Amino acid sequence: MSENTKSATKARLYDAFAASGKALASGKRLELLDLLAQGERTVDALAKAAGLNLTTASAHLQTLKQAGFVSTRRDGVRIHYRLAGDDVAQLFALLRKVADRHQAAVPAARDAYLGQDTTGEMSREELRVRVAAGDIVVLDVRPAQEYLAGHIPGALSIPVQELAGRINELPEDTEIVVYCRGEYCVLAYDAVRLLTDRGRRAIRLNDGMLEWRLSELPVDAAELT
């Protein structure tokens, strides 16, 4: 192979790598990946959750599909999207970590979104020990659809928007550990603030369902009671 041919084929290889990077170069497409990391969804559901119209959501999903990050299945007239593999979830989680560490704008944007946190947090390892001891309540505050798709074993489901009206379903004398989608999910922060304002002992899991799955820890999927 001549040097010119080697150079051309190398350029094609790196251009192919770059195509994946281009597919990720949109905050809304990353948000869609974040939602799909929780489980399969229809275009309608993704559009609603991401605050997009159907046309825009479909265009973003097509870009992600062309890059190989998502796959689809058809159920009648409805198209369901899901991540193409756990490696896509790993890439998404790593991208956030790298950006948080090296992109100067991320920490300030993160803090502005998540708000001040003065309530503490718990690691996955400590959570598993405490669950085994039976001295905590684990609370999933994601939407019910996401809980059904997979949750930490033994976790109760109260979506954060329902928490104020259902707080009496939680024991008053037991510490509550709250989790949601992942490390940068505001739902757990909002839930802990609400619970502590109502006099409950509540802290966050220091990440969420995305990291729990990627750690290959047990996941339950069951009907709500």
Side-chain angles (χ1 to χ4, degrees), residues 140 142-151 155-157 179 220-222 224:
D140 186 320
R142 298 174 299 157
Q145 177 187 8
E146 297 179 19
Y147 176 87
L148 291 171
H151 55 267
L156 304 178
S157 172
Y179 76 91
D220 278 354
L224 288 167

Side-chain angles (χ1 to χ4, degrees), residues 3-205:
E3 288 303 316
N4 286 341
T5 301
K6 285 182 180 179
S7 179
T9 54
K10 179 181 179 181
R12 285 197 295 273
L13 173 61
Y14 278 84
D15 284 344
F17 293 151
S20 292
K22 290 177 182 177
L24 298 176
S26 162
K28 279 299 181 182
R29 287 199 285 275
L30 293 180
E31 187 176 351
L32 291 170
L33 290 179
D34 191 17
L35 291 166
L36 288 169
Q38 307 302 310
E40 184 182 79
R41 295 201 189 199
T42 64
V43 179
D44 290 5
L46 287 165
K48 182 178 180 181
L52 297 169
N53 62 50
L54 281 174
T55 300
T56 303
S58 295
H60 282 313
L61 289 166
Q62 283 303 307
T63 298
L64 292 170
K65 185 177 181 181
Q66 289 165 6
F69 292 139
V70 301
S71 57
T72 59
R73 71 174 179 87
R74 181 179 290 275
D75 180 14
V77 298
R78 309 190 94 184
I79 304 296
H80 297 255
Y81 280 83
R82 61 184 180 275
L83 294 186
D86 288 344
D87 52 354
V88 179
Q90 291 166 349
L91 174 63
F92 170 66
L94 181 59
L95 174 62
R96 296 194 310 188
K97 279 291 190 185
V98 171
D100 200 351
R101 186 172 299 168
H102 299 289
Q103 170 58 256
V106 170
R110 176 199 62 210
D111 294 344
Y113 174 56
L114 298 177
Q116 185 178 12
D117 178 34
T118 59
T119 57
E121 59 186 25
M122 180 181 291
S123 70
R124 275 173 267 134
E125 293 75 17
E126 184 180 357
L127 177 67
R128 298 184 74 195
V129 170
R130 297 284 299 277
V131 166
D135 64 351
I136 61 171
V137 170
V138 183
L139 179 62
D140 186 320
V141 294
R142 298 174 299 157
Q145 177 187 8
E146 297 179 19
Y147 176 87
L148 291 171
H151 55 267
I152 294 174
L156 304 178
S157 172
I158 304 180
V160 68
Q161 69 272 19
E162 301 175 14
L163 185 56
R166 297 175 59 187
I167 194 169
N168 290 335
E169 296 178 24
L170 299 169
E172 295 184 8
D173 56 352
T174 305
E175 186 172 37
I176 302 166
V177 183
V178 182
Y179 76 91
C180 55
R181 290 166 180 153
E183 183 177 356
Y184 300 91
C185 177
V186 75
L187 304 181
Y189 286 79
D190 289 345
V192 169
R193 284 189 280 264
L194 187 154
L195 289 165
T196 54
D197 286 347
R198 301 290 183 88
R200 302 303 181 92
R201 291 187 295 132
I203 63 173
R204 290 180 299 102
L205 181 64

